[in-house]
Amino acid sequence: MKRLSLFLVVFLLAAVSCVSTGSSTGSTPPPDTGNAIPEEKDFLGAGQSESLGESMRLCKADALKKAVIDLIGEDKERANAEKLQSILYADKTMGGFILNTERTRRDKIGEEYIYEAKVTVRMRILESTLKAHGIIGGGGTKEDAVVIVENNKDDNEDIDEVVVEPIVDQPDYDEPTADEKKFIARYVDKMTYLVQMVDDSSLSDELQNIAINSANEYLGECGLNSVDEKKIKKLKEDQRMVYESETGNSISITQWIAQKLDADVYIEIFVNIETDIQMGGKYYAMGNSTLKAYEASTGDLLGSVAYNLPKNKAFFSRASVEAAEIGVIQSLIYQRTMPRMVDQVKTKMNKSLTRGIKYDVLIQSPPNDRVMMKFWKKLDKKIKGYKLISQVAEEVHYSVWLIGDLEKLKEYFYDASEGVAGLENMYLVMAVGKKATFNSGSD
């Protein structure tokens, strides 16, 4: 009897020992990363920053962090925090890990934007990247990791994103001050966009309007300004002859209209749609789109994004082929290309504006060149640069670069003209957008 009791005690102690060694206390075990991982999964993200764009990026990063925790657990996420920050969370667009964002809140409290959204994360691609970096399973080389990150797109997707880099020559202007950097950030967040279809679009007028409205809707969701399509159409119809006489077709009519309507950036959209009608009232549509963005005052390319919707993701409708076409266009523009386009534009503008905003300045009844040289010398330390465009007896035309608005331009010009004989009576004739006309006051 004693032997039997001793045996039971030993057996029970062994069983308890096995159970305790099979689990750890005080830690969150990582979930099973087997075949149960879905292709896509939604997470709620939140971001807060003085910049709306940065608050949106932080919102995506927050959702991506939750997706990582869903795959590997909190403890492992914390242990790899530095590596994850480098390869995932610090990225401008979260690479190809984010499929879609659906805003749930956008507020501004004081100087801070608060942005919250439901974010769709591509879980399989995320898992592959974590494996490649040794965070899951310890496998993968550094070279493998680079390939995974750079090609983190669905096999069925065809995205061609051209990131336009600035010229790499040594700058001939000073690095912007802290105040100037703040001005640039505010300027980029408040830029006005003009959206148009390419002139040779094969889409019907109705579908073109849907494409433009989808782009403008996305801009509005981001808190960005866009030009009303009705104003664009009216100007294009009423002043085409004026455009031809003013420009000699040296710039596109879209750029000319963007300048006339004081837009900072204009985006041209190309969309191609293919349809398939099957028996039983089944309508399918698929297609591709290309967006290109330009700086309105210079015509410089700011970004280019192309997207091809694969056949296995064709839009289906039982209502009509037009309904399927509308679904494709809205997906191509609003969900697929505009988010990348806006990111590219903001990135390029933040870099290029360190040289200053370009203003067109006309000076009527200009004095002689000696006087003007004294004037520009006094302005030298306040502006980023200037260039003579044209000169006749009655008027001289300059391009002027400075980090500041029109009021700052007026202030600088008046300060510089005060001590220059022949310009001490200079006054402003007209100022609109990025154009200012002064009279030397020497009449």
Side-chain angles (χ1 to χ4, degrees):
M1 188 70 178
K2 287 182 179 179
R3 286 183 179 179
L4 180 59
S5 298
L6 180 61
F7 173 78
L8 287 171
V9 170
V10 171
F11 175 78
L12 289 171
L13 287 172
V16 171
S17 174
C18 288
V19 171
S20 63
T21 55
S23 64
S24 59
T25 58
S27 64
T28 305
D32 180 16
T33 58
N35 296 326
I37 295 174
E39 192 75 30
E40 301 161 3
K41 190 170 180 179
D42 293 337
F43 296 89
L44 294 177
Q48 186 169 340
S49 172
E50 289 186 359
S51 162
L52 176 61
E54 178 63 8
S55 68
M56 294 173 70
R57 192 196 71 78
L58 291 172
C59 172
K60 293 178 184 178
D62 183 45
L64 196 57
K65 180 177 180 178
K66 291 176 180 176
V68 170
I69 292 172
D70 191 64
L71 286 173
I72 65 176
E74 291 181 6
D75 289 350
K76 201 164 186 179
E77 194 277 338
R78 275 195 298 268
N80 291 276
E82 188 174 342
K83 183 185 287 187
L84 289 166
Q85 178 68 19
S86 174
I87 65 174
L88 295 179
Y89 308 148
D91 188 50
K92 288 283 186 184
T93 61
M94 311 298 132
F97 305 112
I98 303 298
L99 180 65
N100 189 35
T101 59
E102 183 181 328
R103 191 190 73 185
T104 57
R105 179 189 177 193
R106 181 168 71 85
D107 285 328
K108 189 175 184 183
I109 300 176
E111 294 297 316
E112 299 251 305
Y113 288 95
I114 298 173
Y115 194 91
E116 298 176 0
K118 181 175 74 174
V119 180
T120 304
V121 179
R122 291 167 168 160
M123 299 298 286
R124 298 276 180 84
I125 293 172
L126 180 59
E127 180 198 30
S128 298
T129 302
L130 296 177
K131 283 182 177 179
H133 284 273
I135 297 172
I136 293 179
T141 64
K142 185 176 181 181
E143 287 74 21
D144 293 333
V146 172
V147 172
I148 292 291
V149 173
E150 290 184 347
N151 294 282
N152 50 13
K153 299 176 286 190
D154 286 346
D155 293 337
N156 295 320
E157 290 182 350
D158 182 12
I159 302 174
D160 180 16
E161 184 171 2
V162 180
V163 179
V164 183
E165 294 295 337
I167 298 172
V168 295
D169 292 342
Q170 289 294 323
D172 57 354
Y173 47 90
D174 295 332
E175 184 72 15
T177 65
D179 287 342
E180 288 176 335
K181 287 179 180 178
K182 286 183 180 179
F183 175 86
I184 290 172
R186 289 195 300 269
Y187 179 91
V188 169
D189 276 342
K190 294 178 180 179
M191 289 190 304
T192 298
Y193 294 73
L194 181 147
V195 181
Q196 279 287 275
M197 300 295 295
V198 294
D199 288 339
D200 57 350
S201 175
S202 60
L203 296 183
S204 67
D205 289 346
E206 180 185 359
L207 292 178
Q208 288 188 48
N209 287 336
I210 289 169
I212 292 170
N213 290 337
S214 294
N216 285 333
E217 183 182 353
Y218 179 81
L219 293 170
E221 282 290 311
C222 294
L224 301 172
N225 302 315
S226 60
V227 178
D228 185 357
E229 174 64 8
K230 292 179 182 178
K231 289 184 179 180
I232 300 170
K233 283 186 176 180
K234 181 170 176 54
L235 187 63
K236 186 180 287 187
E237 291 168 0
D238 294 350
Q239 300 200 40
R240 183 172 287 273
M241 290 182 65
V242 177
Y243 152 72
E244 292 174 355
S245 64
E246 279 190 6
T247 68
N249 296 320
S250 60
I251 62 174
S252 71
I253 190 168
T254 304
Q255 184 182 354
W256 181 77
I257 290 172
Q259 292 176 356
K260 289 290 183 182
L261 296 176
D262 300 323
D264 302 289
V265 175
Y266 65 94
I267 298 174
E268 292 185 333
I269 299 176
F270 168 82
V271 176
N272 180 56
I273 301 293
E274 297 178 13
T275 57
D276 182 22
I277 303 175
Q278 297 185 5
M279 293 182 63
K282 296 179 180 179
Y283 305 99
Y284 294 89
M286 65 211 77
N288 57 77
S289 62
T290 302
L291 271 61
K292 292 186 177 181
Y294 302 86
E295 207 278 317
S297 64
T298 63
D300 291 342
L301 181 67
L302 296 175
S304 176
V305 177
Y307 184 90
N308 181 60
L309 191 71
K311 290 184 178 180
N312 69 332
K313 292 190 177 180
F315 266 71
F316 165 72
S317 173
R318 287 193 178 276
S320 66
V321 67
E322 289 80 11
E325 288 177 323
I326 290 170
V328 168
I329 289 173
Q330 290 175 335
S331 175
L332 287 171
I333 304 302
Y334 186 93
Q335 295 181 342
R336 308 293 183 174
T337 50
M338 278 300 291
R340 295 182 177 91
M341 188 80 273
V342 170
D343 282 344
Q344 283 193 22
V345 168
K346 287 190 170 185
T347 299
K348 180 63 189 299
M349 288 299 286
N350 269 305
K351 291 179 180 177
S352 65
L353 287 176
T354 57
R355 189 185 174 185
I357 300 167
K358 180 187 174 187
Y359 290 94
D360 278 325
V361 177
L362 300 177
I363 299 178
Q364 299 172 344
S365 305
N368 62 51
D369 287 343
R370 288 177 180 271
V371 174
M372 290 307 301
M373 287 176 68
K374 291 178 182 178
F375 174 73
W376 289 115
K377 190 172 182 180
K378 290 191 67 175
L379 272 173
D380 185 54
K381 293 191 180 300
K382 294 185 176 182
I383 64 174
K384 294 293 181 179
Y386 74 96
K387 180 181 179 181
L388 176 65
I389 303 300
S390 64
Q391 183 174 7
V392 293
E394 299 81 14
E395 186 178 80
V396 60
H397 180 193
Y398 294 97
S399 290
V400 180
W401 287 267
L402 81 150
I403 300 177
D405 55 18
L406 265 177
E407 287 300 312
K408 186 64 69 175
L409 177 75
K410 286 162 53 180
E411 177 189 329
Y412 289 166
F413 268 53
Y414 288 149
D415 286 347
S417 65
E418 278 185 1
V420 179
L423 289 175
E424 58 268 72
N425 295 318
M426 175 184 278
Y427 61 92
L428 181 70
V429 176
M430 180 273 295
V432 60
K434 295 184 181 66
K435 294 182 179 179
T437 300
F438 294 88
N439 189 290
S440 68
S442 59
D443 291 344

